[in-house]
Amino acid sequence: MNYFGMFLLTIAMFIWGSSFIALKIAMVDLGPLTVIFFRMLIASMCFLYFIKDFMKFNFTKKNIQLLLLLAFFEPCLYFIFEAKALQNTTVSQAGMITSLLPIIAGVAAGYFLKEKITKRLILGSIIALTGAIVLSSQATASHSAPNPILGNIYEFLAMVCGAGYTIVARYLTKEFSALFITAFQVFIGAIFFLPFFIFELTHLELNFTFNSVASLFYLGIIVTLGGYGLYNYALTKIEASKAAVFIYLIPIFTLILANIILNEVISFVEILASAIILLGVFISEFSPSKFKIKKTKSV
């Protein structure tokens, strides 16, 4: 067991979980899509160093079409829905809705890629969705979360887009590196969200305060590059199948950080509903065979 790799993965999940907090803080003073635009722009500038390496890839018409479809799902539609979600619901609730992504992706893979949909996936999906419904039903409106149910629906739609991204990415990772795919996404994202930024600049009062600017750089550099870099370096130490388990730390870290930094109050029912969601994901994702200890021959 590689403890250093596990440590790196934990830090990466903590960083990605904190992205919800940074988004919420930035959107206090800036328009939601302005925040996304600058996140993409800052991350794009960081990837300029790798452009020469990216030009070595073989770009076919089909590959370009798939890359554009990938970017359309995420970051374009994904971040539109996520920005709307965080305008309407709490960070902790949005974070827990992200736990549904593996299940949605599994169902989508079964439909589009003809991958086998197991009884465990169906059972886990029902349990997780039940938890999500309970979580949303217990949400109460507040100044920072005026319409939690609507916000949770937006976050769910963001996860649907994330599932679409996952399906397309399964094709593209055979042709391109994860570094290039990430760079392509942020470049397209910066172009896509530029008109939205111009619109908000002329129609909203944007205040580039220290907190908002710091959050933008945190999102663009630490979350996009730091989280990505740590995760991929950890994959050199730990198998990808084992690393995937750490993804489920994201909503937990989000829940904790939302309580500490944003003072979001978490009720017992919300904790129970979150546990139901994670139980559903656990049932759908893990089979008993994955936990069997391999017998070794005696010498």
Side-chain angles (χ1 to χ4, degrees):
M1 185 176 293
N2 191 301
Y3 291 103
F4 182 60
M6 293 172 63
F7 172 75
L8 293 179
L9 282 171
T10 303
I11 297 299
M13 298 309 110
F14 178 85
I15 290 173
W16 284 341
S18 68
S19 67
F20 288 94
I21 313 298
L23 279 169
K24 195 77 169 180
I25 292 174
M27 287 194 296
V28 171
D29 299 307
L30 300 173
L33 299 181
T34 293
V35 172
I36 303 303
F37 165 70
F38 277 102
R39 176 180 181 174
M40 297 293 108
L41 180 64
I42 293 169
S44 297
M45 293 173 67
C46 295
F47 278 112
L48 289 176
Y49 175 81
F50 301 99
I51 285 183
K52 288 185 178 179
D53 294 329
F54 294 156
M55 299 308 296
K56 298 177 183 178
F57 288 110
N58 180 32
F59 296 97
T60 64
K61 182 179 180 180
K62 181 180 179 181
N63 286 341
I64 293 174
Q65 290 174 340
L66 287 175
L67 283 168
L68 291 174
L69 179 61
L70 181 87
F72 177 71
F73 280 127
E74 189 174 338
C76 299
L77 285 182
Y78 180 94
F79 280 116
I80 286 178
F81 287 132
E82 187 155 277
K84 297 294 291 183
L86 291 177
Q87 279 186 301
N88 289 280
T89 191
T90 62
V91 166
S92 54
Q93 292 230 347
M96 289 311 306
I97 297 298
T98 62
S99 301
L100 298 175
L101 176 57
I103 291 176
I104 299 172
V107 173
Y111 183 81
F112 292 104
L113 303 180
K114 306 305 178 184
E115 294 182 3
K116 184 178 179 181
I117 298 179
T118 64
K119 293 180 180 178
R120 295 180 64 86
L121 176 59
I122 296 173
L123 176 61
S125 300
I126 294 172
I127 293 174
L129 287 173
T130 300
I133 292 171
V134 173
L135 185 70
S136 295
S137 66
Q138 292 299 311
T140 55
S142 64
H143 176 70
S144 60
N147 196 336
I149 294 178
L150 179 62
N152 288 351
I153 292 173
Y154 277 129
E155 188 63 33
F156 179 82
L157 291 175
M159 294 307 103
V160 172
C161 293
Y165 156 80
T166 302
I167 300 301
V168 180
R170 291 191 184 184
Y171 291 102
L172 290 173
T173 49
K174 298 175 184 178
E175 302 289 335
F176 304 102
S177 68
L179 183 70
F180 168 77
I181 292 174
T182 304
F184 183 84
Q185 285 179 278
V186 296
F187 282 131
I188 295 297
I191 296 170
F192 179 82
F193 285 104
L194 176 59
F196 293 98
F197 162 61
I198 295 173
F199 175 82
E200 290 189 341
L201 184 64
T202 56
H203 290 77
L204 299 178
E205 183 180 347
L206 306 181
N207 298 311
F208 288 87
T209 62
F210 175 80
N211 285 342
S212 62
V213 173
S215 296
L216 292 177
F217 276 95
Y218 181 81
L219 288 166
I221 299 175
I222 304 300
V223 174
T224 303
L225 297 183
Y228 164 84
L230 288 173
Y231 184 79
N232 283 279
Y233 183 71
L235 289 180
T236 65
K237 308 291 183 182
I238 294 180
E239 295 175 9
S241 59
K242 295 179 180 178
V245 179
F246 284 77
I247 296 294
Y248 306 115
L249 290 175
I250 294 176
I252 296 174
F253 281 134
T254 302
L255 208 65
I256 295 171
L257 290 171
N259 179 257
I260 295 174
I261 298 176
L262 301 179
N263 296 316
E264 290 188 359
V265 179
I266 306 170
S267 68
F268 173 76
V269 177
E270 286 181 312
I271 294 175
L272 180 62
S274 300
I276 293 173
I277 292 174
L278 292 177
L279 174 64
V281 173
F282 181 86
I283 290 174
S284 65
E285 289 291 298
F286 307 111
S287 61
S289 61
K290 291 185 179 182
F291 297 93
K292 289 181 179 179
I293 301 175
K294 294 181 180 179
K295 294 181 180 179
T296 56
K297 294 181 180 179
S298 56
V299 293

